[in-house]
Amino acid sequence: MTEVAKTPLFIRLDVEALEDLHTGTGTGSGDIDALVQRDRNGRPVIRASHFKGLLREAGEELIALGTSAIDKRKLDELLGEPGGARGALRMTSLRTREEVATLIWGSTKRVEGGRAPEEDTLRFVEHVAGGTRFTAQLRLSDQTFQPLLERLLNRVDRIGGDRNRGSGLVKLDWQPGALPNREPPMDTEGPRLRLILRNLEPLCLPATGHPGNLIRSHSFIRGQTLRGALIAWAIHAGRPQCLALFGRVSVGDALPLPYPDQAVDRVLPIPLSILTKKPQAANADAPWWAEGSSEPVAFDSLGEKREPEEKPKRPGVHEYLCRVGDTGPWLRYTPTMEVRLRNATPKRDSKKKEAELFSLEEIAEDTRFQAELRFDDEPAAQDFIGVFAPLLAGCDWLAIGRGGQPAFVESITAAQDPPSKDVGDDWILTLVSDLIVRGEHLGFLDGLDLGRLCQWAGVAPQDGWRIEQALVEPEAIHGFNAVTGLRRAPALAIRRGSCWRITGAGSAKLAKALREKGALGERVGEGFGRFLVDAQPIREPGRPASEEGEPVANRNEELLALARQLAGKIAPGGPSLSQLQWLRERALAARDDQDLDALLTEIEEAPERRRQGGQPWQAFRSLHLRQEVGKLQNLGEKRQLISYLVQWRVPKAKEKRG
């Protein structure tokens, strides 16, 4: 039975906050108990998962009221089932492009039977100021769900926490519209294509089949995940007959690129041979991790022998190398990853009454990824471009990762082989993707020997050939079968970045034969088993910008130390606890330097304007706070200094009150 294609409908959603609202992270900082969620640029954001939860709540309310036009089946088809099939609706988070002011609201629990505040119940919660505008993009895979979606949108009038107490009043406006269409790519000749992807939402790509309270994520998109996303798109686009095309293509891993937009020619996982020296503490009696960290010093690469005084650190699992051009320097970097706290609220008909907290490790939104697709021949590549033309032109989204988060193809170009260079009889084999290989008894291997390499290459081993050095680590490969709804059987692989140094007269013949293979082992169609020959990027040890062992000062620690010094200068009888909290709230809400200057003027003039309430501010005159704040260039640092100053002074104020 041929599936009928359904044209997706894109909708632009605009939300205006009519009152202050709070969409929390579940965490606090300093004396703020609950912070608002923010994107990678530091601006407040309303997560798509929260908004979809509001839509589900609205639908369940309509069902409970006995509305005949909606039932649970339709609601699940629109929004998806937890742990089951994805729904017809996908959306981005609600974001703002403005510099948004946030407010700190304090509240306390009252004693039973009275209006006095109860001890130790004071909480400070950060809110997004009313008047802030947010925008999101919605995608409906089936336009027949549009009336139901609009009915749910009409029912959503509040967002965030404390909705039952009147907070978070909003106004919604929406209108259908298509994604912008780009010019189709022209330079796509050849059997290899390079895709640049960009994720619109944070991606969680689970790195384990048995997650705990924290679901760890890969920092790259595996080839098997990208391949599955492409196949799913073809099926939902009504083109299942084109799935045979994936027998003629190998979909490589999509590796993260540096942020912001930066042109990169080559990117690869950092080889395990790139070792770094542990940071040194200034105090010889303290361990290296007890003080500020120093810039890493790269040890010699594999093949350059050196005996370090202390065992060096291997590179982290989230580290990568990229390069512009064939002669430019290599850049070592780690993509932006964050941990987000989630709250799985129970359903109305569920026996569970308590929410379940868990955390996700996620790749930040707007991360760019580079993937290479290798085809059997150029006609196969052109067939692929024809089938996926709407996707490659940026007119639709891919669903990737946990929850099917939206991502789109930013560009597609022909991929060129790096210029080949002569390989001598002392060379290095480096994996750029995980390698799955089995032994004679079908068990997974966690290492390679010279005989197996020669067997793959079709070259007879010669006397004198040997593996001089090897740096190898295992990696567990997990997966999920979307058709059966079951986990795939895990596999053991040799981790990307593993290296083998091979020597011996005439061994260059083996290197040349391996180059022609392109990939080794099993599941090469999913991008496994790719490698480079003699492409160790770092030969000379790097040098830090500062002296070796000198700790790098942390800016927050500098501000904290300055605030502590200033707090010690405040004379006895200074501001009360409530006055200090007022000062901190006003400072964090300052939108610009003028607001902050007006606040400092107000506390400086307080002793003259208010004889009783203003006298405690007299103690602030000796601090020369205005001069200290004026030395800072960044508004955020100025606000942080005042916040830290209050933080240091609060214990003294509590002692005075007690």
Side-chain angles (χ1 to χ4, degrees), residues 557-576:
E557 293 175 355
E558 291 179 349
L559 293 174
L560 194 61
L562 176 58
R564 183 176 186 177
Q565 180 183 0
L566 294 174
K569 295 180 180 180
I570 299 177
S576 65

Side-chain angles (χ1 to χ4, degrees), residues 444-462:
F444 294 107
L445 301 182
D446 58 2
L448 294 179
D449 55 39
L450 189 62
R452 191 169 300 276
L453 288 175
C454 291
Q455 180 183 355
W456 280 333
V459 175
Q462 299 182 13

Side-chain angles (χ1 to χ4, degrees), residues 124-293:
F124 290 93
V125 180
E126 185 181 20
H127 288 73
V128 179
T132 305
R133 297 176 180 272
F134 298 89
T135 302
Q137 197 80 21
L138 281 62
R139 178 190 185 273
L140 275 178
S141 60
D142 187 348
Q143 298 188 22
T144 60
F145 284 101
Q146 184 178 357
L148 174 57
L149 174 62
E150 292 183 346
R151 185 161 191 176
L152 299 181
L153 290 174
N154 278 317
R155 194 169 178 84
V156 175
D157 60 351
R158 295 184 183 274
I159 290 178
D162 287 336
R163 297 190 300 279
N164 295 331
R165 299 183 180 182
S167 296
L169 184 65
V170 295
K171 182 179 72 173
L172 275 60
D173 185 27
W174 61 89
Q175 55 184 357
L179 293 179
N181 191 5
R182 300 195 321 270
E183 290 293 329
M186 301 301 294
D187 54 342
T188 53
E189 296 182 358
R192 295 168 57 185
L193 298 177
R194 176 179 296 168
L195 294 182
I196 303 296
L197 305 172
R198 187 187 292 268
N199 61 318
L200 297 172
E201 284 294 292
L203 292 180
C204 180
L205 304 160
T208 175
H210 305 280
N213 291 333
L214 173 63
I215 301 178
R216 293 283 184 184
S217 173
H218 290 298
S219 55
F220 67 102
I221 304 173
R222 282 199 181 277
Q224 70 181 65
T225 301
L226 180 56
R227 184 174 182 267
L230 291 169
I231 291 175
W233 184 91
I235 292 174
H236 291 297
R239 306 178 184 186
Q241 69 278 8
C242 302
L243 299 185
L245 177 63
F246 285 89
R248 303 158 61 195
V249 58
S250 169
V251 182
D253 295 340
L255 304 181
L257 299 176
Y259 183 84
D261 301 345
Q262 181 175 354
V264 171
D265 292 312
R266 296 184 64 189
V267 57
L268 65 153
I270 189 168
L272 299 183
S273 59
I274 308 302
L275 307 178
T276 53
K277 189 175 182 180
K278 291 180 179 178
Q280 301 295 315
N283 182 1
D285 297 329
W288 64 268
W289 43 262
E291 299 188 21
S293 61

Side-chain angles (χ1 to χ4, degrees), residues 496-519:
R496 60 206 173 276
S498 296
C499 309
W500 295 265
R501 180 187 173 206
I502 299 171
T503 61
S507 64
K509 178 181 178 181
L510 174 60
K512 183 179 179 181
L514 285 174
R515 268 184 177 173
E516 296 176 355
K517 296 288 294 183

Side-chain angles (χ1 to χ4, degrees), residues 60-70 151:
E60 291 175 348
E61 289 175 353
L62 290 174
I63 294 174
L65 291 173
T67 305
S68 59
I70 180 175
R151 185 161 191 176

